[in-house]
Amino acid sequence: MSPLDISLADLIARLDEELPEAGELARISEARLRAQTLSDLGDQLIDHYVSKAKRTGASWTQIGDAIGVSKQAAQQRHAPSAFERFTNLNRHGIVLAQEAARTYKHDFIGTGHLLLGLLGEPQGLAYEMLMAKAESEQSVREAIEAAMPPAGEKALRGHIAFRPESKEAIEQARHASVELGHDRVGTEHMLLGLIHAEESTAAQVLRSLGFTSDELREAVRAEAAARLAAGDTQ
């Protein structure tokens, strides 16, 4: 039995359906981007269960055996990451930000890409808050794209680094979660982190939509409390 309810034929059919006019070379480029996204998601899937195993007392030797690598390799690859306390939706938003950087052929992950990642998670609280201020998802996307640098000429392979302002936004998201007394770092905290990176592309876009730091913080406090009461964390 396949471990996933998906097949190579499914992936091919979806790509062909979404890019009916594209040539074969363009489809190769798109297939590579999607393969990288799948790889990033796979890494996060493993990290999720490694974190759970560590919390229940598993040793690095046991985890390495489960993965099929040495203790040292497991510890080096799966040590607590910068995104350990992030919710699943927020982690996926980071993956979508990476995908956006590759799509635009940028050699960095900027705050604009992070905001696009939040826009790609309609179940997240950040998405709801963005839609409450904007005319449409497309209008937000267009505002972000207009504020970002033009697309590059060549897609990159491998790791793409975060820009300093993106690292600042991620750190601010963690601080916002702690200050609000929340256990996890959700998409709403990332939105707060982005607006606190005041000179960044994302902050400029958020201000143009009518957000202010104080208003957004209070809105996050109220909405997160309502979701927590309903047993829903994003």
Side-chain angles (χ1 to χ4, degrees):
M1 182 177 69
S2 172
L4 293 175
D5 186 20
I6 190 170
S7 68
L8 176 60
D10 294 330
L11 294 172
I12 292 172
R14 179 170 175 178
L15 194 155
D16 288 345
E17 179 182 351
E18 293 178 1
L19 300 175
E21 306 298 327
E24 297 308 320
L25 293 178
R27 295 187 189 201
I28 290 174
S29 296
E30 179 63 22
R32 188 187 65 77
L33 290 172
R34 297 188 184 199
Q36 185 62 58
T37 298
L38 288 171
S39 176
D40 291 340
L41 285 172
D43 286 343
Q44 291 198 21
L45 178 65
I46 296 171
D47 286 345
H48 171 76
Y49 286 105
V50 167
S51 295
K52 292 189 72 173
K54 288 300 294 180
R55 288 196 295 270
T56 60
S59 69
W60 281 113
T61 298
Q62 291 172 313
I63 291 171
D65 289 342
I67 297 173
V69 300
S70 68
K71 166 188 173 181
Q72 291 77 13
Q75 191 169 13
Q76 182 176 10
R77 171 61 185 84
H78 297 284
S81 70
F83 308 112
E84 184 181 19
R85 292 178 54 243
F86 278 41
T87 62
N88 289 337
L89 289 183
N90 206 8
R91 290 186 183 204
H92 189 227
I94 297 294
V95 172
L96 293 177
Q98 294 169 338
E99 184 176 1
R102 292 190 179 95
T103 297
Y104 288 96
K105 300 178 182 179
H106 291 157
D107 60 355
F108 59 89
I109 299 172
T111 60
H113 303 118
L114 291 174
L115 192 52
L116 284 173
L118 295 180
L119 200 61
E121 269 300 350
Q123 296 181 53
L125 179 51
Y127 180 89
E128 290 188 11
M129 300 180 82
L130 287 168
M131 291 304 97
K133 284 283 191 181
E135 295 179 0
S136 66
E137 178 181 324
Q138 186 59 32
S139 67
V140 180
R141 191 175 299 276
E142 290 174 355
I144 299 169
E145 291 173 348
M148 288 198 308
E153 296 183 357
K154 184 177 180 180
L156 297 181
R157 297 183 178 181
H159 176 71
I160 301 179
F162 289 96
R163 271 191 167 174
E165 58 267 30
S166 296
K167 293 180 181 179
E168 178 189 354
I170 291 169
E171 188 61 30
Q172 289 286 351
R174 291 197 207 93
H175 287 322
S177 174
V178 172
E179 289 174 1
L180 290 168
H182 299 158
D183 294 332
R184 305 297 301 279
V185 183
T187 60
E188 66 275 18
H189 303 114
M190 179 58 75
L191 201 59
L192 275 172
L194 288 171
I195 201 169
H196 282 307
E198 296 183 354
E199 302 303 317
S200 69
T201 295
Q204 294 171 22
V205 171
L206 291 173
R207 288 195 294 268
S208 74
L209 292 173
F211 286 103
T212 66
S213 296
D214 291 342
E215 175 198 11
L216 183 57
R217 187 175 187 276
E218 291 309 308
V220 166
R221 184 195 300 276
E223 292 293 337
R227 286 200 171 196
L228 184 62
D232 183 12
T233 57
Q234 304 295 340

